[in-house]
PDB file of all heavy atoms in Angstrom:
ATOM      1  N   SER A 504       0.818  -1.204   0.000  1.00  0.00           N
ATOM      2  CA  SER A 504       0.000   0.000   0.000  1.00  0.00           C
ATOM      3  C   SER A 504       0.857   1.262   0.000  1.00  0.00           C
ATOM      4  O   SER A 504       0.507   2.266  -0.634  1.00  0.00           O
ATOM      5  CB  SER A 504      -0.929   0.015   1.220  1.00  0.00           C
ATOM      6  OG  SER A 504      -0.172  -0.027   2.430  1.00  0.00           O
ATOM      7  N   PHE A 505       2.004   1.216   0.678  1.00  0.00           N
ATOM      8  CA  PHE A 505       2.907   2.372   0.702  1.00  0.00           C
ATOM      9  C   PHE A 505       3.500   2.614  -0.675  1.00  0.00           C
ATOM     10  O   PHE A 505       3.620   3.761  -1.128  1.00  0.00           O
ATOM     11  CB  PHE A 505       4.020   2.136   1.729  1.00  0.00           C
ATOM     12  CG  PHE A 505       4.899   3.328   1.955  1.00  0.00           C
ATOM     13  CD1 PHE A 505       4.588   4.267   2.922  1.00  0.00           C
ATOM     14  CD2 PHE A 505       6.039   3.526   1.187  1.00  0.00           C
ATOM     15  CE1 PHE A 505       5.390   5.380   3.128  1.00  0.00           C
ATOM     16  CE2 PHE A 505       6.853   4.631   1.382  1.00  0.00           C
ATOM     17  CZ  PHE A 505       6.519   5.566   2.358  1.00  0.00           C
ATOM     18  N   LYS A 506       3.902   1.543  -1.358  1.00  0.00           N
ATOM     19  CA  LYS A 506       4.445   1.676  -2.705  1.00  0.00           C
ATOM     20  C   LYS A 506       3.420   2.293  -3.647  1.00  0.00           C
ATOM     21  O   LYS A 506       3.734   3.192  -4.436  1.00  0.00           O
ATOM     22  CB  LYS A 506       4.873   0.310  -3.243  1.00  0.00           C
ATOM     23  CG  LYS A 506       5.946  -0.396  -2.448  1.00  0.00           C
ATOM     24  CD  LYS A 506       6.198  -1.783  -3.026  1.00  0.00           C
ATOM     25  CE  LYS A 506       7.157  -2.581  -2.172  1.00  0.00           C
ATOM     26  NZ  LYS A 506       7.343  -3.962  -2.685  1.00  0.00           N
ATOM     27  N   LEU A 507       2.194   1.815  -3.570  1.00  0.00           N
ATOM     28  CA  LEU A 507       1.151   2.311  -4.467  1.00  0.00           C
ATOM     29  C   LEU A 507       0.774   3.751  -4.137  1.00  0.00           C
ATOM     30  O   LEU A 507       0.467   4.543  -5.034  1.00  0.00           O
ATOM     31  CB  LEU A 507      -0.078   1.399  -4.381  1.00  0.00           C
ATOM     32  CG  LEU A 507       0.140  -0.027  -4.885  1.00  0.00           C
ATOM     33  CD1 LEU A 507      -1.109  -0.868  -4.667  1.00  0.00           C
ATOM     34  CD2 LEU A 507       0.516  -0.019  -6.369  1.00  0.00           C
ATOM     35  N   ALA A 508       0.797   4.102  -2.850  1.00  0.00           N
ATOM     36  CA  ALA A 508       0.528   5.488  -2.473  1.00  0.00           C
ATOM     37  C   ALA A 508       1.616   6.412  -3.017  1.00  0.00           C
ATOM     38  O   ALA A 508       1.335   7.533  -3.465  1.00  0.00           O
ATOM     39  CB  ALA A 508       0.443   5.611  -0.954  1.00  0.00           C
ATOM     40  N   ALA A 509       2.867   5.937  -3.021  1.00  0.00           N
ATOM     41  CA  ALA A 509       3.962   6.729  -3.585  1.00  0.00           C
ATOM     42  C   ALA A 509       3.769   6.930  -5.082  1.00  0.00           C
ATOM     43  O   ALA A 509       4.019   8.015  -5.623  1.00  0.00           O
ATOM     44  CB  ALA A 509       5.301   6.042  -3.308  1.00  0.00           C
ATOM     45  N   LEU A 510       3.310   5.899  -5.769  1.00  0.00           N
ATOM     46  CA  LEU A 510       3.044   6.029  -7.204  1.00  0.00           C
ATOM     47  C   LEU A 510       1.897   6.998  -7.459  1.00  0.00           C
ATOM     48  O   LEU A 510       1.921   7.777  -8.421  1.00  0.00           O
ATOM     49  CB  LEU A 510       2.716   4.654  -7.798  1.00  0.00           C
ATOM     50  CG  LEU A 510       3.853   3.641  -7.850  1.00  0.00           C
ATOM     51  CD1 LEU A 510       3.374   2.332  -8.464  1.00  0.00           C
ATOM     52  CD2 LEU A 510       5.043   4.182  -8.616  1.00  0.00           C
ATOM     53  N   THR A 511       0.881   6.971  -6.599  1.00  0.00           N
ATOM     54  CA  THR A 511      -0.245   7.892  -6.749  1.00  0.00           C
ATOM     55  C   THR A 511       0.193   9.327  -6.500  1.00  0.00           C
ATOM     56  O   THR A 511      -0.248  10.259  -7.191  1.00  0.00           O
ATOM     57  CB  THR A 511      -1.378   7.519  -5.774  1.00  0.00           C
ATOM     58  OG1 THR A 511      -1.684   6.133  -5.909  1.00  0.00           O
ATOM     59  CG2 THR A 511      -2.624   8.330  -6.071  1.00  0.00           C
ATOM     60  N   PHE A 512       1.043   9.534  -5.516  1.00  0.00           N
ATOM     61  CA  PHE A 512       1.628  10.849  -5.262  1.00  0.00           C
ATOM     62  C   PHE A 512       2.343  11.348  -6.518  1.00  0.00           C
ATOM     63  O   PHE A 512       2.205  12.506  -6.932  1.00  0.00           O
ATOM     64  CB  PHE A 512       2.597  10.749  -4.087  1.00  0.00           C
ATOM     65  CG  PHE A 512       3.337  12.021  -3.776  1.00  0.00           C
ATOM     66  CD1 PHE A 512       2.796  12.962  -2.910  1.00  0.00           C
ATOM     67  CD2 PHE A 512       4.578  12.273  -4.332  1.00  0.00           C
ATOM     68  CE1 PHE A 512       3.475  14.139  -2.606  1.00  0.00           C
ATOM     69  CE2 PHE A 512       5.271  13.439  -4.042  1.00  0.00           C
ATOM     70  CZ  PHE A 512       4.713  14.376  -3.181  1.00  0.00           C
ATOM     71  N   THR A 513       3.099  10.464  -7.154  1.00  0.00           N
ATOM     72  CA  THR A 513       3.802  10.808  -8.385  1.00  0.00           C
ATOM     73  C   THR A 513       2.819  11.149  -9.492  1.00  0.00           C
ATOM     74  O   THR A 513       3.071  12.044 -10.307  1.00  0.00           O
ATOM     75  CB  THR A 513       4.698   9.639  -8.826  1.00  0.00           C
ATOM     76  OG1 THR A 513       5.571   9.275  -7.760  1.00  0.00           O
ATOM     77  CG2 THR A 513       5.522  10.017 -10.046  1.00  0.00           C
ATOM     78  N   ALA A 514       1.701  10.436  -9.536  1.00  0.00           N
ATOM     79  CA  ALA A 514       0.688  10.725 -10.549  1.00  0.00           C
ATOM     80  C   ALA A 514       0.158  12.147 -10.406  1.00  0.00           C
ATOM     81  O   ALA A 514      -0.102  12.832 -11.408  1.00  0.00           O
ATOM     82  CB  ALA A 514      -0.464   9.722 -10.443  1.00  0.00           C
ATOM     83  N   GLY A 515      -0.012  12.603  -9.163  1.00  0.00           N
ATOM     84  CA  GLY A 515      -0.445  13.978  -8.950  1.00  0.00           C
ATOM     85  C   GLY A 515       0.570  14.978  -9.456  1.00  0.00           C
ATOM     86  O   GLY A 515       0.227  15.970 -10.101  1.00  0.00           O
ATOM     87  N   LEU A 516       1.859  14.722  -9.181  1.00  0.00           N
ATOM     88  CA  LEU A 516       2.922  15.572  -9.693  1.00  0.00           C
ATOM     89  C   LEU A 516       2.899  15.626 -11.219  1.00  0.00           C
ATOM     90  O   LEU A 516       2.969  16.693 -11.829  1.00  0.00           O
ATOM     91  CB  LEU A 516       4.279  15.051  -9.223  1.00  0.00           C
ATOM     92  CG  LEU A 516       4.666  15.235  -7.753  1.00  0.00           C
ATOM     93  CD1 LEU A 516       5.909  14.416  -7.443  1.00  0.00           C
ATOM     94  CD2 LEU A 516       4.913  16.699  -7.441  1.00  0.00           C
ATOM     95  N   LEU A 517       2.812  14.455 -11.840  1.00  0.00           N
ATOM     96  CA  LEU A 517       2.855  14.368 -13.301  1.00  0.00           C
ATOM     97  C   LEU A 517       1.684  15.087 -13.956  1.00  0.00           C
ATOM     98  O   LEU A 517       1.850  15.785 -14.966  1.00  0.00           O
ATOM     99  CB  LEU A 517       2.854  12.902 -13.733  1.00  0.00           C
ATOM    100  CG  LEU A 517       4.136  12.113 -13.511  1.00  0.00           C
ATOM    101  CD1 LEU A 517       3.911  10.643 -13.861  1.00  0.00           C
ATOM    102  CD2 LEU A 517       5.265  12.675 -14.346  1.00  0.00           C
ATOM    103  N   THR A 518       0.502  14.910 -13.403  1.00  0.00           N
ATOM    104  CA  THR A 518      -0.684  15.506 -14.005  1.00  0.00           C
ATOM    105  C   THR A 518      -0.613  17.026 -13.993  1.00  0.00           C
ATOM    106  O   THR A 518      -0.896  17.689 -15.007  1.00  0.00           O
ATOM    107  CB  THR A 518      -1.952  15.033 -13.271  1.00  0.00           C
ATOM    108  OG1 THR A 518      -2.022  13.598 -13.317  1.00  0.00           O
ATOM    109  CG2 THR A 518      -3.193  15.607 -13.921  1.00  0.00           C
ATOM    110  N   VAL A 519      -0.240  17.585 -12.855  1.00  0.00           N
ATOM    111  CA  VAL A 519      -0.119  19.044 -12.773  1.00  0.00           C
ATOM    112  C   VAL A 519       1.002  19.540 -13.687  1.00  0.00           C
ATOM    113  O   VAL A 519       0.865  20.565 -14.359  1.00  0.00           O
ATOM    114  CB  VAL A 519       0.132  19.492 -11.324  1.00  0.00           C
ATOM    115  CG1 VAL A 519       0.318  20.998 -11.259  1.00  0.00           C
ATOM    116  CG2 VAL A 519      -1.032  19.076 -10.433  1.00  0.00           C
ATOM    117  N   ALA A 520       2.112  18.809 -13.738  1.00  0.00           N
ATOM    118  CA  ALA A 520       3.222  19.201 -14.606  1.00  0.00           C
ATOM    119  C   ALA A 520       2.789  19.229 -16.065  1.00  0.00           C
ATOM    120  O   ALA A 520       3.113  20.164 -16.814  1.00  0.00           O
ATOM    121  CB  ALA A 520       4.395  18.247 -14.425  1.00  0.00           C
ATOM    122  N   ALA A 521       2.039  18.215 -16.490  1.00  0.00           N
ATOM    123  CA  ALA A 521       1.622  18.132 -17.887  1.00  0.00           C
ATOM    124  C   ALA A 521       0.634  19.234 -18.246  1.00  0.00           C
ATOM    125  O   ALA A 521       0.764  19.891 -19.286  1.00  0.00           O
ATOM    126  CB  ALA A 521       0.999  16.761 -18.172  1.00  0.00           C
ATOM    127  N   ILE A 522      -0.352  19.470 -17.379  1.00  0.00           N
ATOM    128  CA  ILE A 522      -1.418  20.419 -17.702  1.00  0.00           C
ATOM    129  C   ILE A 522      -0.975  21.856 -17.482  1.00  0.00           C
ATOM    130  O   ILE A 522      -1.172  22.725 -18.346  1.00  0.00           O
ATOM    131  CB  ILE A 522      -2.675  20.123 -16.851  1.00  0.00           C
ATOM    132  CG1 ILE A 522      -3.176  18.700 -17.129  1.00  0.00           C
ATOM    133  CG2 ILE A 522      -3.763  21.149 -17.156  1.00  0.00           C
ATOM    134  CD1 ILE A 522      -3.516  18.426 -18.571  1.00  0.00           C
ATOM    135  N   GLU A 523      -0.373  22.135 -16.338  1.00  0.00           N
ATOM    136  CA  GLU A 523      -0.067  23.516 -15.982  1.00  0.00           C
ATOM    137  C   GLU A 523       1.170  24.072 -16.671  1.00  0.00           C
ATOM    138  O   GLU A 523       1.238  25.271 -16.926  1.00  0.00           O
ATOM    139  CB  GLU A 523       0.110  23.620 -14.460  1.00  0.00           C
ATOM    140  CG  GLU A 523      -1.188  23.481 -13.696  1.00  0.00           C
ATOM    141  CD  GLU A 523      -2.193  24.564 -14.048  1.00  0.00           C
ATOM    142  OE1 GLU A 523      -1.796  25.738 -14.153  1.00  0.00           O
ATOM    143  OE2 GLU A 523      -3.371  24.226 -14.244  1.00  0.00           O
ATOM    144  N   ASP A 524       2.152  23.220 -16.969  1.00  0.00           N
ATOM    145  CA  ASP A 524       3.391  23.742 -17.532  1.00  0.00           C
ATOM    146  C   ASP A 524       3.625  23.310 -18.974  1.00  0.00           C
ATOM    147  O   ASP A 524       3.925  24.146 -19.823  1.00  0.00           O
ATOM    148  CB  ASP A 524       4.576  23.350 -16.652  1.00  0.00           C
ATOM    149  CG  ASP A 524       4.642  24.204 -15.402  1.00  0.00           C
ATOM    150  OD1 ASP A 524       4.768  25.427 -15.536  1.00  0.00           O
ATOM    151  OD2 ASP A 524       4.548  23.664 -14.308  1.00  0.00           O
ATOM    152  N   MET A 525       3.501  22.029 -19.265  1.00  0.00           N
ATOM    153  CA  MET A 525       3.764  21.597 -20.633  1.00  0.00           C
ATOM    154  C   MET A 525       2.739  22.162 -21.616  1.00  0.00           C
ATOM    155  O   MET A 525       3.098  22.722 -22.653  1.00  0.00           O
ATOM    156  CB  MET A 525       3.785  20.066 -20.699  1.00  0.00           C
ATOM    157  CG  MET A 525       4.981  19.450 -20.021  1.00  0.00           C
ATOM    158  SD  MET A 525       5.025  17.664 -20.187  1.00  0.00           S
ATOM    159  CE  MET A 525       6.545  17.305 -19.283  1.00  0.00           C
ATOM    160  N   ILE A 526       1.462  22.036 -21.285  1.00  0.00           N
ATOM    161  CA  ILE A 526       0.426  22.551 -22.189  1.00  0.00           C
ATOM    162  C   ILE A 526       0.439  24.074 -22.215  1.00  0.00           C
ATOM    163  O   ILE A 526       0.312  24.691 -23.288  1.00  0.00           O
ATOM    164  CB  ILE A 526      -0.968  22.038 -21.765  1.00  0.00           C
ATOM    165  CG1 ILE A 526      -1.058  20.522 -21.966  1.00  0.00           C
ATOM    166  CG2 ILE A 526      -2.058  22.741 -22.560  1.00  0.00           C
ATOM    167  CD1 ILE A 526      -0.917  20.071 -23.406  1.00  0.00           C
ATOM    168  N   SER A 527       0.621  24.700 -21.071  1.00  0.00           N
ATOM    169  CA  SER A 527       0.682  26.163 -21.029  1.00  0.00           C
ATOM    170  C   SER A 527       1.847  26.692 -21.860  1.00  0.00           C
ATOM    171  O   SER A 527       1.704  27.644 -22.631  1.00  0.00           O
ATOM    172  CB  SER A 527       0.807  26.649 -19.578  1.00  0.00           C
ATOM    173  OG  SER A 527      -0.335  26.306 -18.834  1.00  0.00           O
ATOM    174  N   GLU A 528       2.995  26.057 -21.712  1.00  0.00           N
ATOM    175  CA  GLU A 528       4.161  26.479 -22.485  1.00  0.00           C
ATOM    176  C   GLU A 528       3.971  26.198 -23.970  1.00  0.00           C
ATOM    177  O   GLU A 528       4.449  26.955 -24.825  1.00  0.00           O
ATOM    178  CB  GLU A 528       5.416  25.778 -21.970  1.00  0.00           C
ATOM    179  CG  GLU A 528       6.705  26.247 -22.610  1.00  0.00           C
ATOM    180  CD  GLU A 528       7.023  27.702 -22.319  1.00  0.00           C
ATOM    181  OE1 GLU A 528       6.508  28.232 -21.318  1.00  0.00           O
ATOM    182  OE2 GLU A 528       7.777  28.312 -23.103  1.00  0.00           O
ATOM    183  N   ALA A 529       3.257  25.122 -24.301  1.00  0.00           N
ATOM    184  CA  ALA A 529       2.961  24.824 -25.704  1.00  0.00           C
ATOM    185  C   ALA A 529       2.148  25.951 -26.327  1.00  0.00           C
ATOM    186  O   ALA A 529       2.395  26.382 -27.458  1.00  0.00           O
ATOM    187  CB  ALA A 529       2.206  23.497 -25.818  1.00  0.00           C
ATOM    188  N   HIS A 530       1.160  26.460 -25.582  1.00  0.00           N
ATOM    189  CA  HIS A 530       0.327  27.549 -26.084  1.00  0.00           C
ATOM    190  C   HIS A 530       1.121  28.837 -26.250  1.00  0.00           C
ATOM    191  O   HIS A 530       0.873  29.618 -27.170  1.00  0.00           O
ATOM    192  CB  HIS A 530      -0.852  27.775 -25.134  1.00  0.00           C
ATOM    193  CG  HIS A 530      -1.806  26.632 -25.102  1.00  0.00           C
ATOM    194  ND1 HIS A 530      -2.724  26.445 -24.095  1.00  0.00           N
ATOM    195  CD2 HIS A 530      -1.988  25.585 -25.955  1.00  0.00           C
ATOM    196  CE1 HIS A 530      -3.429  25.353 -24.325  1.00  0.00           C
ATOM    197  NE2 HIS A 530      -2.998  24.808 -25.440  1.00  0.00           N
ATOM    198  N   GLU A 531       2.097  29.049 -25.357  1.00  0.00           N
ATOM    199  CA  GLU A 531       2.919  30.249 -25.451  1.00  0.00           C
ATOM    200  C   GLU A 531       3.954  30.147 -26.566  1.00  0.00           C
ATOM    201  O   GLU A 531       4.383  31.162 -27.117  1.00  0.00           O
ATOM    202  CB  GLU A 531       3.627  30.501 -24.115  1.00  0.00           C
ATOM    203  CG  GLU A 531       2.680  30.839 -22.971  1.00  0.00           C
ATOM    204  CD  GLU A 531       3.408  30.995 -21.645  1.00  0.00           C
ATOM    205  OE1 GLU A 531       4.662  30.953 -21.668  1.00  0.00           O
ATOM    206  OE2 GLU A 531       2.745  31.164 -20.611  1.00  0.00           O
ATOM    207  N   SER A 532       4.368  28.926 -26.893  1.00  0.00           N
ATOM    208  CA  SER A 532       5.423  28.737 -27.883  1.00  0.00           C
ATOM    209  C   SER A 532       4.939  28.963 -29.304  1.00  0.00           C
ATOM    210  O   SER A 532       5.692  29.441 -30.152  1.00  0.00           O
ATOM    211  CB  SER A 532       6.012  27.321 -27.765  1.00  0.00           C
ATOM    212  OG  SER A 532       6.539  27.114 -26.480  1.00  0.00           O
ATOM    213  N   GLY A 533       3.714  28.599 -29.573  1.00  0.00           N
ATOM    214  CA  GLY A 533       3.180  28.745 -30.922  1.00  0.00           C
ATOM    215  C   GLY A 533       1.683  28.605 -30.907  1.00  0.00           C
ATOM    216  O   GLY A 533       1.100  27.967 -30.019  1.00  0.00           O
TER     217      GLY A 533
END
């Protein structure tokens, strides 16, 4: 359960990174 909770924590990091920074920067780039 601890391992899976760590993976879920990572999923939260990844999701915000993809939506807030990668997509936002994509819109600013072109």
Side-chain angles (χ1 to χ4, degrees):
S504 60
F505 187 89
K506 299 176 186 177
L507 295 176
L510 292 180
T511 309
F512 176 88
T513 305
L516 287 169
L517 287 174
T518 302
V519 177
I522 300 302
E523 288 299 317
D524 284 300
M525 290 183 180
I526 293 297
S527 296
E528 186 64 22
H530 294 162
E531 294 176 6
S532 301

